[in-house]
Amino acid sequence: MTVPRDSWSTNAGFILAAVGSAVGLGNLWRFAYIASEGGGAAFVALYLVLVLLIGVPLLTAELVIGRRTGQSPIRALTMVGGRGWSWLGIVFVFAGFGILSYYAVIMGWTGRVLVDTLRGAIPADTGAYFGEISVGGDAILFHLAGMALTIAIVTGGVRGGIERVAIILMPILFLLIVGLAVWAATLSGSGPGYAFYLRPQLSEVFRAETLRQAAGQAFFSLSLGMGAILTYASYLRGKGNLPKEGGTIALSDTAVAFVGGLVTFPVIYHFGLQAGVSGSNVGALFIAIPRGFHSMGAAGTVVGAIFFTALYIAALTSAISLLEVVVAAFIDGLGWPRRRSTWVAGTAIALVGIPAALNTNWLGLVDQVVGNVFLIFGGLMTALLVGFVWSRGADEELAEGFPRPRLRRAWLWTLRTVIPVILLVVLYGAIRAIGPAARAVFGGG
Ligand code: PHE
């Protein structure tokens, strides 16, 4: 007996789930932080160019492969590229596995801070507090709880689990974030906060390091280069306009990232917490921001709860998509039912994530290797596969819902030229950045 393959019940459900995958922990902290370091408004402009020039064409490529094949990444890439490309699907599945293993740990910190905010149990010294909750038994506990929640949703299937959760949670998330941005605008420090975030510095934008940061951030934030969007697109039934859908996903994600900075920087400046925000450590999100809320008393409990609820929702809907990549591969590859696939994959990921809950430097290293290098490499290979190996089929599939031959040619041309050149440069920088991350774990100079 063959079970019919899962599918989305509506196109809007698909879009919300894909935006849910993209909008995550990467948006609410890292984007604003990198922007403030990398040239402010000038960085935002560079980022937007990368999203449009690289992000949307590559999202479209993943959407085209997914919709055409209706298969999980390993099978899908084998179908379009031949046997010689199955390894790239395996890399995708490993990336989903690896990213979720530490992503769930950060999600666990978020859950912990949320719970403690609601209990009124955040101490004044949030630095010491974060040190306690981010590693060790408590971190493991909240990591496992987050994985259990993710597993519970993914066992519900595409419609009954992933889509339903996205339809409920994503509108809530948008409302919370916009509400927070409006609230932040009323704070006395908002002016200097915006200025610090967005003060344009053109010179910064032309540094190779800024390009590397912007591209790495774009890949992570758009859930690109590891088959998450491909997998979601494999559950599409209709023949919609894929570049438009890719554009919607990319712009929604970028808008949330941008608005996230309009929340965090006013808070940081209002409470004079600039000094606590050094180093690209995710910890700043869990130290500076809770400290600000703490000093507001009861009102801070309310706003803090809203902030960390939004962050948890963002993380959860991204974690779901990461797990789904691995689960889909198990279902298609091993022929297991969804429930068993989800429990086995989810448990394995939870266990592999435990070291990240014991050592934040290890977490940082896995992030640099899997969350950065793997994604850029995956994006580069996707561009080459679609641009050179499977361009005819891709063009044919894209034409369904996108009958514009000139733009389709421009798309293939971009995948063959601009994107590989930029990604090769970025990949080189990303590989070099592994060194410092590895030294942080293993010591040595
Ligand atoms: N896009 C998510 C974020 O910004 C992370 C993610 C990466 C999710 C890759 C899925 C795939 O947090």
Side-chain angles (χ1 to χ4, degrees):
M1 188 191 77
T2 51
V3 188
R5 200 161 191 276
D6 273 324
S7 65
W8 306 105
S9 63
T10 62
N11 205 53
F14 158 68
I15 298 280
L16 285 175
V19 173
S21 169
V23 173
L25 294 164
N27 297 63
L28 287 175
W29 177 252
R30 224 174 14 180
F31 176 81
Y33 175 79
I34 301 178
S36 73
E37 296 270 292
F43 176 93
V44 176
L46 168 74
Y47 183 82
L48 208 57
V49 169
L50 288 180
V51 165
L52 296 175
L53 195 74
I54 300 181
V56 176
L58 277 179
L59 277 173
T60 305
E62 285 202 27
L63 291 169
V64 169
I65 299 174
R67 185 178 76 181
R68 170 61 159 247
T69 60
Q71 298 290 334
S72 59
I74 303 177
R75 282 202 187 177
L77 295 182
T78 312
M79 272 173 77
V80 302
R83 287 219 168 275
W85 283 85
S86 60
W87 63 272
L88 183 59
I90 297 173
V91 171
F92 283 1
V93 174
F94 268 96
F97 194 105
I99 294 174
L100 183 53
S101 74
Y102 71 86
Y103 200 82
V105 173
I106 308 176
M107 185 166 123
W109 300 343
T110 311
R112 174 63 188 268
V113 175
L114 174 59
V115 168
D116 284 347
T117 301
L118 290 171
R119 289 171 52 222
I122 305 272
D125 185 352
T126 51
Y129 165 74
F130 180 68
E132 278 164 27
I133 67 156
S134 59
V135 291
D138 289 18
I140 294 176
L141 198 69
F142 278 82
H143 158 66
L144 296 180
M147 280 304 305
L149 185 57
T150 310
I151 291 171
I153 294 166
V154 173
T155 51
V158 173
R159 282 185 197 206
I162 302 172
E163 184 175 356
R164 191 186 300 167
V165 165
I167 288 175
I168 299 170
L169 292 186
M170 292 312 290
I172 297 178
L173 174 61
F174 295 138
L175 283 179
L176 294 184
I177 291 177
V178 171
L180 284 167
V182 171
W183 165 79
T186 67
L187 293 175
S188 61
S190 58
Y194 297 143
F196 184 78
Y197 173 23
L198 295 171
R199 180 194 39 192
Q201 284 176 298
L202 263 184
S203 58
E204 282 296 324
V205 168
F206 296 107
R207 291 175 46 220
E209 174 63 12
T210 308
L211 176 69
R212 178 179 86 71
Q213 295 263 1
Q217 171 66 15
F219 269 79
F220 189 82
S221 191
L222 296 174
S223 304
L224 215 51
M226 47 75 64
I229 300 299
L230 187 165
T231 304
Y232 275 10
S234 76
Y235 304 125
L236 280 170
R237 286 295 163 267
K239 293 284 182 189
N241 178 337
L242 292 182
K244 189 172 140 212
E245 292 178 350
T248 307
I249 298 166
L251 292 179
S252 314
D253 182 63
T254 306
V256 172
F258 181 75
V259 175
L262 299 180
V263 177
T264 42
F265 278 94
V267 171
I268 288 164
Y269 270 76
H270 179 71
F271 297 105
L273 300 166
Q274 300 84 307
V277 188
S278 59
S280 69
N281 201 327
V282 254
L285 181 57
F286 298 96
I287 298 172
I289 303 273
R291 182 171 300 157
F293 292 145
H294 179 268
S295 62
M296 284 171 70
T301 302
V302 175
V303 188
I306 293 176
F307 185 89
F308 284 98
T309 301
L311 198 58
Y312 202 82
I313 292 175
L316 180 63
T317 50
S318 299
I320 289 170
S321 72
L322 288 161
L323 182 55
E324 179 62 19
V325 171
V326 184
V327 168
F330 275 39
I331 295 175
D332 284 354
L334 304 174
W336 288 359
R338 171 170 287 273
R339 182 169 286 276
R340 189 194 308 163
S341 301
T342 311
W343 276 102
V344 171
T347 308
I349 293 168
L351 293 177
V352 169
I354 287 178
L358 294 172
N359 182 339
T360 45
N361 287 331
W362 172 255
L363 189 159
L365 176 60
V366 183
D367 179 39
Q368 183 56 39
V369 175
V370 189
N372 198 262
V373 172
F374 270 48
L375 300 188
I376 293 162
F377 176 76
L380 173 62
M381 288 298 142
T382 306
L384 298 179
L385 170 61
V386 172
F388 292 104
V389 181
W390 184 61
S391 54
R392 279 272 209 92
D395 185 60
E396 220 177 84
E397 179 64 27
L398 184 61
E400 305 265 2
F402 193 70
R404 303 177 64 172
R406 282 235 188 140
L407 280 178
R408 293 206 308 272
R409 240 175 287 139
W411 173 64
L412 286 172
W413 181 83
T414 315
L415 289 174
R416 290 181 186 133
T417 55
V418 185
I419 293 180
V421 170
I422 298 180
L423 290 189
L424 269 177
V425 175
V426 171
L427 184 62
Y428 172 75
I431 291 173
R432 287 185 42 139
I434 294 175
R439 276 193 291 280
V441 177
F442 302 110

